[in-house]
Amino acid sequence: IGEIQRFLRDDGTIKVSRSLKETNQKIRQKKDELSKEFGRTPSISELSEAMGMPKEELVMALEANQQPQSIYETVYE
Amino acid sequence: MNNYMKVEFVAKSENESFARVTVASFIAQLDPTVDELTEIKTVVSEAVTNAIIHGYDEDEEGRVVLECEIKNSEVELRISDDGHGMDNIDEATQPLFTSKPELERSGMGFTIMENFMDALSVTSEYGKGTTVIMRKKFNQNQPTCN
Amino acid sequence: MNNYMKVEFVAKSENESFARVTVASFIAQLDPTVDELTEIKTVVSEAVTNAIIHGYDEDEEGRVVLECEIKNSEVELRISDDGHGMDNIDEATQPLFTSKPELERSGMGFTIMENFMDALSVTSEYGKGTTVIMRKKFNQNQPTCN
Ligand SMILES: Nc1ncnc2c1ncn2[C@@H]1O[C@H](COP(=O)(O)OP(=O)(O)O)[C@@H](O)[C@H]1O
Ligand SMILES: Nc1ncnc2c1ncn2[C@@H]1O[C@H](COP(=O)(O)OP(=O)(O)O)[C@@H](O)[C@H]1O
Ligand SMILES: [Mg+2]
Ligand SMILES: [Mg+2]
């Protein structure tokens, strides 16, 4: 139980940026799995159900690995 | 870092989760912790739900306006509606007070906003509308992990 | 299903990603596929980047306005700025045309918008500003399994 409590506490204090990136990787895996299974890309609701995650969190996490595409980096790096 | 956005949307309950993501993705620039973001999303839900349900009785002609301003590490949220308004703000903001017990509302909306934010102010005029302003400082303590 | 939102934000490049998530979470109501959502986010990026970089030269006094309307299964996006505007829209919308080659822009923004959306219209006045309107129908094909 102490372990779980520590896990929960750590989970709450990690930065959103890191949490979203980790979730993003899991979503990508799940998306590939479902695409193979269905023979087409899954819808947002299918993916959110498969991930056990609300649509809104899915949408935010989907953006997480897009950051390097931001014009800031395109223009200034 | 300073930034500003304003979003306006139809008073439909579907837009509560839209409002939550919108604010969350704006605040994400400050790279808060998961807990801090969850708290902000909760107060946005409470204030937006109040505007939709109490302000407009879910009348889809109603428009909710949500502004978010970032000044250095402080966030100010302003949620307003031109709906029914209230005549007794002191009573309305008491814990457990609800004017819609039939909807199984908890009456804890304002109490939650007060607890999760550093400052809360409510202005309202009966028949005119309501504005809720909340403030919170982020990144008070340096990140412990990352 | 009908719905409407309007968001206004400072012409800062950080807000490009904010605009993408805002539109994506609004459109999520139509239950698009992940790929459809990616396409919509791409056109939002192109139009918002243009407003910030070409319309305002990243002047943070500038405000970008993004409206999104859902009518049944059709989405209309309107992105506008009160920036520099253009005097030759035909030339500007040609593939590979860019007025800022020094920024390594590809000149493909309008071409991408045209390809990913069902309809694109651009209005602009030199010295006044620009409005881009795009439309797309979703869920053309019913889901095959569910
Ligand atoms: N935007 C608003 N417009 C009109 N009345 C409001 C608004 N927000 C809150 N109220 C009033 O304040 C009361 C308390 O709000 P709250 O603490 O969120 O509890 P609840 O929403 O569960 O009733 C509401 O029942 C309502 O009477
Ligand atoms: N919002 C805008 N305000 C002023 N000029 C614009 C705007 N959007 C596009 N333009 C003009 O149209 C040209 C082509 O745009 P685009 O196809 O997106 O290519 P790029 O952004 O790579 O230059 C730009 O280089 C610019 O001159
Ligand atoms: Mg409430
Ligand atoms: Mg462009």
Side-chain angles (χ1 to χ4, degrees):
Chain A
I1 288 171
E3 198 120 340
I4 294 170
Q5 277 172 340
R6 180 141 33 82
F7 172 76
L8 288 175
R9 195 172 56 237
D10 285 351
D11 198 45
T13 53
I14 70 165
K15 291 290 188 173
V16 162
S17 53
R18 193 178 111 194
S19 155
L20 287 177
K21 270 185 200 135
E22 287 170 4
T23 311
N24 184 280
Q25 283 174 353
K26 290 180 197 143
I27 292 174
R28 286 176 170 266
Q29 275 174 12
K30 189 58 94 184
K31 185 204 158 191
D32 290 344
E33 270 174 48
L34 293 180
S35 298
K36 271 190 203 130
E37 191 184 325
F38 298 163
R40 58 170 173 83
T41 42
S43 72
I44 295 298
S45 63
E46 288 165 340
L47 198 52
S48 92
E49 199 172 309
M51 294 286 301
M53 174 187 284
K55 275 197 210 175
E56 53 175 286
E57 276 174 39
L58 191 82
V59 168
M60 263 195 87
L62 277 171
E63 178 70 9
N65 75 331
Q66 304 289 342
Q67 299 303 339
Q69 268 188 12
S70 83
I71 54 176
Y72 184 82
E73 282 159 57
T74 322
V75 173
Y76 296 102
E77 285 191 1
Chain B
M1 126 126 74
N2 297 315
N3 207 345
Y4 169 83
M5 70 91 172
K6 172 178 172 176
V7 60
E8 195 182 311
F9 51 86
V10 170
K12 276 167 96 88
S13 53
E14 286 89 341
N15 288 335
E16 186 205 323
S17 88
F18 164 68
R20 257 200 321 252
V21 187
T22 302
V23 171
S25 69
F26 194 69
I27 304 285
Q29 298 171 58
L30 291 173
D31 198 19
T33 65
V34 172
D35 279 352
E36 285 171 326
L37 201 69
T38 304
E39 288 178 6
I40 280 277
K41 283 158 80 176
T42 306
V43 303
V44 168
S45 284
E46 293 297 335
V48 166
T49 308
N50 280 355
I52 296 173
I53 293 190
H54 302 300
Y56 292 122
D57 280 321
E58 297 187 70
D59 173 359
E60 296 186 8
E61 295 295 304
R63 293 284 168 94
V64 181
V65 175
L66 195 166
E67 289 175 281
C68 185
E69 190 158 355
I70 300 178
K71 274 194 198 142
N72 304 314
S73 59
E74 191 170 60
V75 170
E76 181 168 304
L77 284 171
R78 297 188 283 274
I79 292 103
S80 49
D81 65 73
D82 303 319
H84 301 312
M86 320 169 226
D87 47 18
N88 193 335
I89 296 174
D90 283 347
E91 183 186 53
T93 53
Q94 293 295 317
L96 301 175
F97 176 88
T98 180
S99 55
K100 286 201 158 75
E102 72 282 9
L103 292 184
E104 297 183 42
R105 315 281 322 146
S106 66
M108 291 302 282
F110 284 123
T111 310
I112 290 168
M113 294 180 232
E114 211 155 25
N115 271 285
F116 282 167
M117 301 295 282
D118 296 339
L120 165 72
S121 101
V122 184
T123 50
S124 189
E125 199 177 327
Y126 191 74
K128 290 254 174 116
T130 301
T131 298
V132 172
I133 303 181
M134 296 179 272
R135 256 190 294 270
K136 191 182 179 82
K137 260 204 182 315
F138 281 83
N139 303 317
Q140 291 287 61
N141 26 332
Q142 289 304 313
T144 43
C145 50
N146 214 338
Chain C
M1 130 130 70
N2 298 315
N3 207 344
Y4 170 83
M5 70 91 170
K6 172 178 172 175
V7 60
E8 193 183 312
F9 50 87
V10 170
K12 272 169 98 90
S13 55
E14 287 88 340
N15 288 335
E16 187 206 326
S17 157
F18 164 68
R20 290 161 57 93
V21 181
T22 301
V23 172
S25 70
F26 195 67
I27 305 286
Q29 300 170 55
L30 290 173
D31 198 22
T33 66
V34 180
D35 290 348
E36 285 172 327
L37 206 66
T38 306
E39 286 180 9
I40 279 276
K41 283 161 74 172
T42 305
V43 304
V44 168
S45 284
E46 294 297 336
V48 166
T49 309
N50 280 355
I52 296 173
I53 293 189
H54 303 300
Y56 293 122
D57 281 322
E58 297 187 68
D59 173 359
E60 296 187 8
E61 293 296 303
R63 293 284 167 92
V64 181
V65 175
L66 196 167
E67 289 176 280
C68 186
E69 191 159 353
I70 299 177
K71 274 196 199 142
N72 305 314
S73 58
E74 192 170 59
V75 170
E76 181 168 305
L77 284 172
R78 296 188 284 274
I79 292 103
S80 49
D81 64 73
D82 304 319
H84 300 312
M86 317 169 228
D87 46 17
N88 192 338
I89 296 175
D90 283 345
E91 183 186 52
T93 53
Q94 293 295 316
L96 300 176
F97 176 87
T98 179
S99 56
K100 287 205 157 82
E102 71 281 9
L103 291 184
E104 297 183 42
R105 314 285 319 149
S106 66
M108 292 301 283
F110 283 123
T111 310
I112 290 169
M113 294 180 230
E114 213 156 22
N115 271 285
F116 282 166
M117 302 295 282
D118 297 337
L120 165 71
S121 100
V122 184
T123 51
S124 189
E125 199 177 329
Y126 190 73
K128 290 252 173 118
T130 302
T131 298
V132 172
I133 303 182
M134 296 179 272
R135 257 190 293 271
K136 192 185 178 83
K137 260 205 182 314
F138 281 83
N139 303 317
Q140 291 287 60
N141 27 329
Q142 288 303 314
T144 44
C145 45
N146 218 335

